[in-house]
Structures are given as C-alpha cells and as structure tokens.
Amino acid sequence: MNVLELKQISKIYSKNNGDRIKAADDINLVVKKGEAIGIVGESGSGKSTLAKLIAGMIEPTSGQILFNGEVISQYSRKALKSYYAKMQMVFQNPLDTFSPKMKISSYLIQPMLNHGYMTKSEAFKHLSQWMMRVGLDGSYLDKYPSELSGGQLQRVVIARALSLNPQLVIFDECTSALDASIQKKIIDLIVNIEHEAAFTSVFITHDLTLACDICDRIYIMNE
Ligand code: ADP
Ligand code: MG
C-alpha cells in the first residue's frame, strides 16, 4: 500500500517583484508502507518545498498529494487534524521549533493533549518513556531549551514527533545543523527507532552517502 503519493506536483513561488520561481517541477513519487525513502539534492533544488507541500504547510501550484490513497487538499478540517497527528516533521534547526520560555515537558506534552489521545498523567508517563528511547533522562523534562545542546534538542524534537505514533515521518536535513560527531549519533538513533517503531519515513538530505546508508530507495532532485 502507498502511504504517500505525489502526482505531477509543481510549485511556483511568486515574489513581490513579480519574479516566479519554479521550486518543484512535475514531481512523481511513491512511498510504500514501511519504506525509508531518501530525497537527495543540492541546496536550492526544492527539497524543503517538497517537505512543506507534504506537510500541508503550502499548496501545490498543480498536482496532487495523496496520503493513504486520499488527496490531502480535499480533507475536511477534521481529517486534516488527524493527518497532522499521523504525519510528523523533523526540521533542520531544532532551536526554531522551541519557544524559549516553554519547558521541555510542555513542548512535548502539547501535541499529545491537542490530539486528545490521553489524559495529562498518561501523557507524562508516555513522555518519560520517549525521553528514555531517545537517550535523555527524565530530568531534561524540567529544563528550558537554552539549557540543552543542539543534539539534545534534536532528540527532544524526535521524541515529540514519534510520541504520536505517526505513520509517516519527514526528516528535512535534520542533522545538517549539528556537529559531525553528533550527526552520527542522531542518525544511529533514527535508524534504531525506525527498526522498533513501525513508521514510514522520508529522509531529505544533500548528503547522498548518508541517504545510501540509511534509505531503501532514493529520489534525486535536480535543480
Ligand atoms: P532546498 O531545501 O533544496 O534548499 P528550497 O525548497 O528551500 O530548496 O528552495 C527551492 C527554491 O525555491 C530556491 O530557489 C528558493 O530560493 C526558492 N524558495 C523557497 N521558498 C520560497 C518562498 N517562500 N518564496 C520564494 N522563493 C522560495
Ligand atoms: Mg532545505
């Protein structure tokens, strides 16, 4: 079964000065259940545009995006909310996703409560388990983002994304902002969790070698 399918997807950005930028041109892509797909391309080739299109953050200029066989742009509000629980994104710069005054516990617990899966006490139990799985002890829950390193923050972001048991996870250059030694640890973590938790993944990177190491199939984006 196809978890995700992109059919003839194009995206043209119109700038204020009237310029038009074709960031995605007739992209066709299929991701089957359980696959780890790589999308590889140079900077500016339209990778993040593709990630945002899949996440429903922007609309395609033409083409269709299907999730479990249904076109996401035709989702009702309710279906869209459930899509946002089933599809999770992990972006490049972890710090961008945190608000400085929010404790790690609040950041993690919010989506679980938003999506109404559990009570607060159940959510807290679930959280501690996820912290352990990403290699952080429970004491980090009580800290603020500024007290964590980039690698630790990305672990928290991964815990948050996976705590909703998503069917599909999009990683957009999720280790590019980290030091090389930390990068490898985060990649190992993702690969280990992928083996345990059954989710389908799209791994977006400029690093072909890395994609070859960890993905089942690779799509190359050309500029
Ligand atoms: P990548 O993630 O591969 O580096 P992007 O998807 O970020 O590529 O960008 C692809 C192209 O689209 C680039 O030329 C970029 O400048 C342009 N672009 C991205 N976002 C916007 C936007 N919101 N408005 C106008 N142009 C954009
Ligand atoms: Mg990008």
Side-chain angles (χ1 to χ4, degrees), residues 11-81:
K11 177 68 186 177
I12 298 170
Y13 293 110
S14 301
K15 288 198 160 178
N16 291 338
N17 64 5
D19 284 358
R20 288 153 65 84
I21 296 173
K22 205 166 208 178
D25 188 11
D26 194 21
I27 291 175
N28 294 284
L29 176 154
V30 170
V31 185
K32 296 198 184 79
K33 189 163 191 275
E35 273 190 321
I37 289 295
I39 295 180
V40 181
E42 287 169 25
S43 173
S45 60
K47 303 185 298 297
S48 293
T49 296
L50 211 58
K52 287 176 196 158
L53 284 164
I54 297 168
M57 294 161 67
I58 55 175
E59 293 263 320
T61 307
S62 60
Q64 285 187 321
I65 300 172
L66 287 82
F67 181 70
N68 292 332
E70 283 182 53
V71 180
I72 62 169
S73 60
Q74 291 168 3
Y75 275 162
S76 63
R77 274 183 65 176
K78 198 172 156 207
L80 206 58
K81 191 174 174 199

Side-chain angles (χ1 to χ4, degrees), residues 98 102-114 123-124 126-128 130-131 134 136 138 140-142 153 155-164:
F98 289 90
M102 196 186 239
K103 278 191 181 170
I104 301 300
S105 56
S106 310
Y107 169 81
L108 281 169
I109 213 152
Q110 229 179 23
M112 287 187 216
L113 299 179
N114 281 351
F124 261 105
H126 200 59
L127 275 189
S128 311
W130 268 107
M131 289 294 275
V134 298
L136 293 173
Y140 286 96
L141 286 170
D142 216 29
L153 287 175
R155 286 173 192 270
V156 174
V157 175
I158 291 169
R160 171 165 143 142
L162 299 183
S163 66
L164 293 173

Side-chain angles (χ1 to χ4, degrees), residues 128-149:
S128 311
Q129 285 165 359
W130 268 107
M131 289 294 275
M132 251 160 46
R133 284 177 93 168
V134 298
L136 293 173
D137 72 61
S139 67
Y140 286 96
L141 286 170
D142 216 29
K143 293 188 195 278
Y144 290 95
S146 59
E147 298 176 90
L148 274 67
S149 70

